[in-house]
Amino acid sequence: MNSLTKLELTRALRNRKFLFFSVIYPSVLFLIIAGNSDSTTKLPGTGLTLPTYMMVSMASFGALTAVLMGNSERIAKEREGGWVRQLRLTTLPGRGYVLAKTASAAVVSLPSIVIVFAVAATVKDVRLDAWQWLALTGAIWAGSLVFAALGVAIGYLASGDAVRPITMITYFGLSMLGGLWMPTTTFPTWLQDIAKWLPTHAYAALGQAIEQSRAPHVQDLVVLVVSFALFAGGAAWLYRKDTLKA
């Protein structure tokens, strides 16, 4: 499995388009959205300034890009091209393939988080305690596993031709409605009620709780745990189904 993980990581690092959208693009969006804002005015209903709010949102968005987009399309295309079938003829266990995909995506997601933090600290003068920076990095990185599981599920659900539109709809829908591109406090009340139950909203809320030096809301933790269970369970079921068809 270690060899496959190294191969997957090498392939990801050589994909310049993937690296741009997962590592550089979130920082660019952060500068576009928070570039002209001041560092004192707080957003209504958040208790955070726009730079601090968007720093967590864009770091979460970058990690989401790496694990969701990176997993779904590659798995679907490798299934269609016969690569997954070839791997089943080796001694590699089925879970090894999934773990290798998840591990490589997680490694790529870490630079996107760190770069957003660095840009926020240097350009927008975002200041936090050392423990908050460490806790933010760990929480966002660990939380990305929820969406890594979703990426695996989509990869086994969709064909090579259909995987991109399905992934893009899921990706942009979760990002926008979950409040990663703009605060959900700007949404209509009915849309805010929906957003509270989305995993992306709960994901970003973990980081915002750390910025505010408070414990996360129980609802956000429950949403993430349940989402991970559903996505991981769906991915496992689809993997077994795909194995039986092979």
Side-chain angles (χ1 to χ4, degrees), residues 108-129:
V108 175
S109 72
L110 184 58
S112 68
I113 298 170
V114 173
I115 289 176
V116 170
F117 288 172
V119 170
T122 55
V123 179
K124 297 304 298 179
D125 199 33
V126 174
R127 293 290 179 265
L128 298 173
D129 293 335

Side-chain angles (χ1 to χ4, degrees), residues 118-186:
V119 170
T122 55
V123 179
K124 297 304 298 179
D125 199 33
V126 174
R127 293 290 179 265
L128 298 173
D129 293 335
W131 74 266
Q132 289 176 302
W133 289 116
L134 292 173
L136 277 174
T137 303
I140 295 174
W141 199 21
S144 68
L145 293 176
V146 175
F147 305 99
L150 176 58
V152 174
I154 294 176
Y156 277 104
L157 175 67
S159 64
D161 292 332
V163 66
R164 176 161 293 186
I166 291 175
T167 302
M168 295 300 286
I169 291 172
T170 304
Y171 170 66
F172 285 114
L174 287 176
S175 298
M176 290 187 290
L177 296 178
L180 298 187
W181 287 4
M182 65 185 70
T184 55
T185 52
T186 62

Side-chain angles (χ1 to χ4, degrees), residues 48 52 56 60 135-136 139-140 202-213:
L48 298 170
T52 53
V56 165
S60 302
L136 277 174
I140 295 174
Y203 182 36
L206 289 183
Q208 292 158 12
I210 293 171
E211 288 182 316
Q212 296 172 325
S213 300

